[in-house]
Amino acid sequence: MKRKAINIWFLLAALTLALPMLTACSDEPDSENFRTFDDEMMSTYLQNRPQYSEFAEIVTRSGMMNLLSTYGSYTCFAPNNDAVDRYLANHGLRSIDDLTDADCDTIARTHLLDVLYSTFDIPIEKAEGTSVLPQPNMNDRYLEVSLDEDTEGRQVICINGDAHIYFELKDDSVVNGIVQPIDRVLESSNRMLPDIIKMNPGVSIFYEALQKTGLRDSLFRYKDENYQQVMDNTGKQAFWKDYTTGDNIRESARSPKEKLIGYTAFVVSDSILKAKYNITTLEELYQEACRIYDPIFGGESEDYHALANATDRRNPLNRLISYHLLNRNVHGYNLLTVINDYGVRTNRINPMEWYGTLLPYAMLKVEKLRMAAYMYGGSNGDIFLNRRVDDRYMIPGVKVLPDIPNGYSGNAMNGYYFCIDGLLKYDKEMTEEVMNCRMRMDMSTIFPEVMTNNMRMNYKSDAALTQNDPAWDHEETLGTNYFFPDGYLDGVTVGNNGYFIYRRPRLGFYSYCGDEFICQDNFDVTFRIPPVPTEGDYQVRLGYAAMSIRGIAQVYFGTEGNLQPQGIPLDMRRDLSHETILGSTYWSAHADYDKLTEEEKSEELKELKNKGFYRGCQGGQTNWNLDNIKNQSGTLMSNMAPTLRIVLCTVHMRPNEDYYLRFRCVSEGLGNNEIMLDYLEIVPKSVYGVTDEGVMEDPN
């Protein structure tokens, strides 16, 4: 059935009137909001109902039924016998006896999640679009969710494009979870990204370009088979790092179980190529690529400058298509920017991300529209690429379509593709105007592996956001913290037996986007930073939260093999009120930034810049409760003494060159002996070097 655009608020109202539901994920389903079966585990629910007998047999053969007999918080999308029979017929099978045990395991794990999702909790950010559930299923794949109508014309939630949750049966609560009955068996494609794109006849020219450039063959990797998980001394389980951080919080981080490799493609359909550029053939697309890149790179007389030589990385078509490809798997529309706008004050800034592409040294800007003042060309919730609409520019960028036309799925085993409404161009307008700005990047987005391997923003439920992990918990009860062994992250070196740790988000963190990286023990961490768009002078800044338990690091910057120390060591125990920064003036006159006059702000900015510091960003907020997220009422980072930014270095940088930062411990035995890395800013002189009287850098 064709998916329809439905107002999300109308849907929620209709569902609420039809059947009251949970308002938030919880480990204990509220019996007032569900049809509950207090004496049944999920296992007995399936076994006691004849309409699910075939799925129950599949779960039993998979070995998962015992799990569903234990206490926990599970969601089961349960297909009835009609759905299973339809699945078997479509695959040429006579009965479930024809399924192998491996088939049963895949089917069972595809339908199970170890987190609760009522229909109210399923996040659909765009009523006409496809999102994904924030947590993957037990097969470690993301499930797509969208809105549709059932055969009675009722608005229902659709899973993976064609499986409807039955309107009258939704949200059955059992002792250990929620059952969502569905009318189709969920299938996870084992196809790689190029093959998923090939299946859509509406993007044939783009796919032909993938083939011609040889980039298609670059998108088939799925897993680094050489990665060996760090094991404990028994050799039987993941190695866990137990550590103390923050206000005596005792946590555990584990080594990644595997290293997946992924990609994201932004694809332009044949219809848009024709309508916008009058392109109907690959040759015409190549000529358009020449018009874009010849003025920048030249090469008309070079041997690589012909469609026949499109596999050459310098070829215009190769450059064009490469810039439409990311070296990470962004698993769904709602994950293109930080999920639920977490930690972003959206009445101050639009949520933005900066991602590397397969065009070397070329970044892509992703922006979600939230600010009413800068909604030009779009509407609330739309996502655009390479857009800059502000007080200086009106560059609308390219829109990401929330759905792939004609009902196709973009979800491949090793990646995801989105359709966009125009070609992406890494030209002078991009480098000199769109990207001539402060590039702020959450640390979890700098390393592609963090997003590809489902680590960023991982938490089991909204309830998990409100809690710290149980002390030294190895069960991943609420979510997972990770430490990265040397070599796991591309461009990162972890030396001296130190630890580089990613902490999952939770409420109350003094962190942009709610998550953070920390370095602990005798750390010595070096990582490659994102490239700059043009040659010039830049400030490289670090956003962090100062705490008394933190330590001291010497910072280095430079090219590989030539990193130079930058100033005195960074002491992360000192916040804005420290005597070496603003001192007691902060508390007596400057605690609330918004209450300062423009003159006071200007004077303070000069003082801070002279000392190499800035307040925390006004576009970031600390969420103390779930209402802060919903109504944008968290504490601004600019109004907190511990959340500040330091200028790590002011340096001359060139495009097409790799630069690195190194943080080396010089405080062994001090506090928790850690430093915190929250977000990175790369700021051109056109922004930080404003000298006109009364003109200041945007504090957001």
Side-chain angles (χ1 to χ4, degrees):
M1 181 171 292
K2 185 176 180 181
R3 211 173 290 143
K4 296 184 178 180
I6 303 170
N7 185 286
I8 184 65
W9 302 113
F10 180 82
L11 170 74
L12 293 178
L15 292 178
T16 304
L17 289 172
L19 180 65
M21 295 176 292
L22 272 179
T23 59
C25 289
S26 169
D27 289 339
E28 296 296 334
D30 187 344
S31 60
E32 294 181 0
N33 294 327
F34 293 96
R35 283 196 311 281
T36 61
F37 302 89
D38 294 331
D39 59 342
E40 285 188 310
M41 290 292 195
M42 191 171 287
S43 55
T44 51
Y45 178 99
L46 295 175
Q47 293 167 334
N48 288 346
R49 287 160 179 76
Q51 65 267 37
Y52 304 119
S53 62
E54 293 184 351
F55 180 65
E57 176 62 23
I58 289 171
V59 174
T60 299
R61 287 181 56 189
S62 74
M64 301 290 287
M65 194 63 82
N66 289 337
L67 178 68
L68 302 186
S69 301
T70 63
Y71 286 98
S73 301
Y74 307 110
T75 299
C76 176
F77 295 100
N80 58 25
N81 290 348
D82 288 342
V84 175
D85 290 343
R86 187 182 302 112
Y87 169 85
L88 295 171
N90 290 341
H91 288 77
L93 305 174
R94 295 167 297 176
S95 71
I96 58 175
D97 293 336
D98 292 337
L99 295 170
T100 67
D101 290 346
D103 293 334
C104 292
D105 183 74
T106 298
I107 294 171
R109 291 179 182 274
T110 297
H111 291 76
L112 295 170
L113 294 87
D114 62 351
V115 62
L116 297 181
Y117 281 113
S118 73
T119 50
F120 187 82
D121 298 317
I122 291 176
I124 303 175
E125 293 199 8
K126 295 288 289 181
E128 70 274 18
T130 298
S131 300
V132 295
L133 293 180
Q135 292 295 318
N137 60 25
M138 292 188 183
N139 200 33
D140 206 29
R141 300 292 299 277
Y142 282 91
L143 297 179
E144 296 179 334
V145 292
S146 56
L147 301 180
D148 204 350
E149 290 183 356
D150 64 12
T151 55
E152 302 297 321
R154 297 172 298 192
Q155 298 146 353
V156 294
I157 289 175
C158 187
I159 310 296
N160 279 7
D162 61 358
H164 294 159
I165 297 176
Y166 281 105
F167 185 87
E168 64 276 8
L169 300 175
K170 60 185 179 292
D171 298 324
D172 275 354
S173 176
V174 292
V175 173
N176 58 344
I178 295 176
V179 180
Q180 302 288 7
I182 55 176
D183 62 0
R184 296 286 192 280
V185 172
L186 303 178
E187 298 189 60
S188 293
S189 173
N190 291 324
R191 293 183 174 90
M192 297 300 178
L193 183 57
D195 291 335
I196 289 290
I197 297 173
K198 181 182 179 181
M199 292 175 62
N200 185 350
V203 296
S204 62
I205 298 175
F206 188 93
Y207 179 74
E208 189 179 0
L210 272 180
Q211 288 183 299
K212 191 69 175 179
T213 57
L215 291 165
R216 174 188 179 277
D217 298 334
S218 302
L219 305 180
F220 275 90
R221 297 187 68 196
Y222 171 63
K223 183 184 295 188
D224 183 352
E225 299 293 350
N226 294 321
Y227 170 70
Q228 297 293 321
Q229 183 182 16
V230 179
M231 309 297 281
D232 68 6
N233 55 15
T234 70
K236 294 182 179 180
Q237 60 184 20
F239 176 73
W240 288 87
K241 161 67 175 173
D242 297 333
Y243 58 94
T244 302
T245 184
D247 187 17
N248 199 34
I249 299 171
R250 296 180 297 171
E251 291 182 346
S252 296
R254 71 163 169 84
S255 62
K257 294 179 181 178
E258 57 188 357
K259 182 178 179 179
L260 301 180
I261 298 167
Y263 309 93
T264 299
F266 295 103
V267 177
V268 187
S269 68
D270 297 347
S271 59
I272 287 178
L273 287 175
K274 179 175 175 55
K276 283 197 169 184
Y277 310 99
N278 199 29
I279 292 172
T280 59
T281 66
L282 182 62
E283 173 65 36
E284 291 170 345
L285 181 61
Y286 170 74
Q287 294 301 329
E288 180 66 19
C290 293
R291 283 190 284 273
I292 296 169
Y293 289 108
D294 283 352
I296 305 170
F297 299 103
E300 295 93 334
S301 61
E302 301 294 337
D303 57 2
Y304 62 79
H305 197 277
L307 181 56
N309 299 320
T311 57
D312 193 300
R313 298 293 281 143
R314 299 166 295 177
N315 183 276
L317 184 64
N318 199 296
R319 293 183 193 273
L320 180 72
I321 301 302
S322 295
Y323 193 54
H324 288 73
L325 306 173
L326 305 183
N327 59 347
R328 69 189 66 213
N329 186 352
V330 181
H331 296 273
Y333 185 85
N334 55 330
L335 301 180
L336 281 166
T337 57
V338 62
I339 193 168
N340 298 327
D341 308 331
Y342 195 91
V344 179
R345 180 57 76 90
T346 55
N347 59 0
R348 306 259 180 172
I349 62 171
N350 286 327
M352 299 181 197
E353 314 285 4
W354 299 83
Y355 299 138
T357 69
L358 293 196
L359 180 62
Y361 302 104
M363 298 291 285
L364 187 71
K365 179 185 179 184
V366 182
E367 181 173 0
K368 181 193 289 184
L369 303 194
R370 288 301 192 204
M371 293 183 64
Y374 301 124
M375 206 64 72
Y376 167 77
S379 57
N380 185 34
D382 286 342
I383 294 178
F384 283 82
L385 308 176
N386 289 350
R387 169 188 173 90
R388 186 168 182 185
V389 174
D390 54 28
D391 296 335
R392 294 181 59 193
Y393 296 97
M394 294 289 284
I395 302 172
V398 173
K399 184 179 179 180
V400 182
L401 304 181
D403 252 340
I404 297 172
N406 301 319
Y408 286 92
S409 170
N411 195 356
M413 190 170 183
N414 70 334
Y416 206 102
Y417 83 90
F418 303 90
C419 282
I420 55 179
D421 74 350
L423 289 169
L424 296 170
K425 309 170 184 180
Y426 195 68
D427 56 13
K428 286 189 176 182
E429 183 180 59
M430 290 302 106
T431 59
E432 297 179 2
E433 297 180 23
V434 172
M435 298 182 180
N436 182 24
C437 65
R438 176 182 55 216
M439 297 168 58
R440 178 181 299 147
M441 294 153 285
D442 186 66
M443 284 292 295
S444 64
T445 67
I446 292 176
F447 314 112
E449 297 86 354
V450 175
M451 296 182 69
T452 296
N453 288 271
N454 309 329
M455 298 171 185
R456 189 191 192 201
M457 299 300 293
N458 84 90
Y459 52 91
K460 292 290 181 70
S461 67
D462 282 355
L465 286 173
T466 67
Q467 307 169 53
N468 287 322
D469 301 328
W472 295 332
D473 173 36
H474 293 188
E475 301 300 322
E476 305 172 78
T477 308
L478 303 174
T480 307
N481 308 305
Y482 294 91
F483 75 85
F484 298 101
D486 186 39
Y488 185 90
L489 302 175
D490 184 40
V492 179
T493 301
V494 182
N496 277 2
N497 298 315
Y499 287 87
F500 192 40
I501 299 170
Y502 171 75
R503 298 181 70 204
R504 70 165 182 89
R506 67 209 76 176
L507 298 173
F509 266 24
Y510 287 15
S511 308
Y512 184 65
C513 299
D515 56 0
E516 63 187 46
F517 275 79
I518 57 174
C519 303
Q520 281 213 340
D521 294 351
N522 188 26
F523 58 83
D524 190 349
V525 175
T526 302
F527 59 88
R528 183 174 59 241
I529 68 174
V532 296
T534 59
E535 183 170 357
D537 294 336
Y538 291 85
Q539 280 187 353
V540 181
R541 305 174 186 166
L542 175 70
Y544 64 96
M547 299 183 72
S548 61
I549 53 83
R550 297 222 149 113
I552 304 172
Q554 179 62 57
V555 180
Y556 301 77
F557 174 86
T559 56
E560 188 172 14
N562 186 32
L563 275 71
Q564 301 299 317
Q566 302 297 312
I568 63 174
L570 165 59
D571 189 339
M572 284 204 175
R573 299 170 298 172
R574 300 176 179 181
D575 65 18
L576 288 172
S577 66
H578 192 269
E579 60 183 9
T580 61
I581 307 178
L582 290 178
S584 59
T585 304
Y586 177 82
W587 294 115
S588 62
H590 292 182
D592 191 337
Y593 186 78
D594 282 339
K595 292 183 179 180
L596 301 182
T597 66
E598 292 303 308
E599 183 178 357
E600 288 172 331
K601 290 178 180 179
S602 179
E603 288 301 316
E604 182 194 270
L605 180 62
K606 291 176 184 177
E607 181 179 359
L608 286 174
K609 285 179 68 174
N610 287 337
K611 296 177 179 180
F613 290 94
Y614 291 81
R615 282 181 180 254
C617 58
Q618 278 198 309
Q621 66 174 6
T622 294
N623 300 305
W624 299 103
N625 53 58
L626 294 174
D627 285 339
N628 292 157
I629 301 173
K630 296 174 184 176
N631 58 28
Q632 291 293 300
S633 60
T635 304
L636 293 175
M637 287 189 164
S638 58
N639 287 349
M640 301 174 66
T643 53
L644 67 164
R645 292 172 282 177
I646 187 172
V647 180
L648 299 176
C649 53
T650 301
V651 290
H652 191 81
M653 299 173 69
R654 291 182 292 272
N656 305 319
E657 190 156 359
D658 290 325
Y659 294 95
Y660 294 81
L661 284 172
R662 177 188 177 194
F663 295 86
R664 180 178 64 84
C665 176
V666 293
S667 61
E668 188 172 359
L670 181 64
N672 289 329
N673 208 49
E674 74 175 22
I675 62 168
M676 179 257 217
L677 311 178
D678 188 8
Y679 58 94
L680 199 68
E681 293 183 344
I682 300 177
V683 189
K685 190 173 183 178
S686 62
V687 175
Y688 77 78
V690 174
T691 57
D692 294 345
E693 189 66 29
V695 178
M696 296 184 298
E697 178 184 335
D698 175 11
N700 291 323

